[in-house]
Amino acid sequence: MGLADLHIHTKSSDGTFSLSELFEYVQEHTRLDVIAVTEHDDIRGGIQAVSLRERGTYRFEVICGVEITTRHGHLIALGITDQPPLLASAEDTIKFIHERGGLAIPAHPMARVPLSFSSETIRRIQNHQDPQVYLDGVEVGNPTPAGRARDPLVRQFNSSGWHLPEIGSSDAHFLEHVGSTATYFDGHTVGDLLRAVRDGKTHSIVNEYAPISPRRLLAQQARGLSATPRKLIGRAFSAKISW
């Protein structure tokens, strides 16, 4: 069985480690087969991760990703290289991803903070008439405080009504959290992972985060509060987003 962590943040957004540090850690301290670097609202981090993998001799593979802010919550896009629109509707963002052959997966759904897909949003998407507007999976395992508090409810909704492929991801901002929660799939490559998600043959493992000192946590939170909104606002204006 392969193991994938599809939701990781580096210093390019609000994480605390560089891309090279992440690759060394994954190579030496995990048994992950596939990772995705999913910076907030900036596809360039995912593109750089794929490029670094292509230039090295790493045993794991990388799929390009981004965590995009829609008006209805955060959404993980995997397998695309075009920058998704910012602050668009969930439906328009999902359509953009699927038109480019990617996967659309809600991040930490039903969490109160940060902005997340509600059960009503997911139900509305599942009933949408456009064949390009659908979800490829749902993050049922997310060990952040916000995600962990809602995971049992998300699993309940998924098993009783959504029936979406399970995705487990660390949402790591500290190196020691990478791979703590992950997705099991048949095979070991990005192609195997994509096939398993599309066939609904994935499941998640969830482990608690290793403890982080208050000093490190406060520093990371301060970085996130300063870096992410600045990037979001700058990109929104440069993209001339229509509300």
Side-chain angles (χ1 to χ4, degrees), residues 25-175:
Y25 183 86
V26 172
Q27 180 86 355
E28 301 296 333
H29 300 285
T30 78
R31 52 186 200 85
L32 291 166
D33 297 286
V34 177
I35 65 168
V37 173
T38 53
E39 310 296 15
H40 290 285
D41 302 307
D42 193 342
I43 194 72
R44 291 176 298 180
I47 293 172
Q48 290 167 0
V50 171
S51 177
L52 179 58
R53 168 63 178 80
E54 290 174 347
R55 299 196 308 270
T57 54
Y58 300 97
R59 58 164 182 76
F60 58 90
E61 296 191 5
V62 178
I63 183 169
C64 191
V66 62
E67 182 176 7
I68 195 73
T69 303
T70 78
R71 293 203 297 270
H72 299 96
H74 289 186
L75 183 70
I76 300 292
L78 298 173
I80 64 172
T81 55
D82 292 336
Q83 173 68 39
L86 304 184
L87 301 175
S89 69
E91 289 85 349
D92 286 347
T93 308
I94 291 167
K95 187 171 183 176
F96 178 96
I97 294 166
H98 286 148
E99 286 174 343
R100 287 154 181 81
L103 303 181
I105 299 166
H108 40 70
M110 300 176 68
R112 293 186 173 91
V113 177
L115 184 64
S116 306
F117 279 32
S118 66
S119 59
E120 290 78 12
T121 296
I122 293 175
R123 189 178 305 112
R124 186 179 73 245
I125 291 166
Q126 290 197 299
N127 291 327
H128 205 280
Q129 297 303 304
D130 190 324
Q132 292 279 45
V133 178
Y134 61 91
L135 295 171
D136 297 278
V138 62
E139 206 174 65
V140 300
N142 180 305
T144 63
R148 188 169 63 245
R150 308 300 282 180
D151 278 355
L153 191 58
V154 171
R155 286 182 180 274
Q156 178 183 329
F157 271 79
N158 195 43
S159 63
S160 64
W162 302 339
H163 305 301
L164 291 166
E166 287 189 4
I167 303 297
S169 298
S170 69
D171 197 355
H173 295 73
F174 298 92
L175 268 181

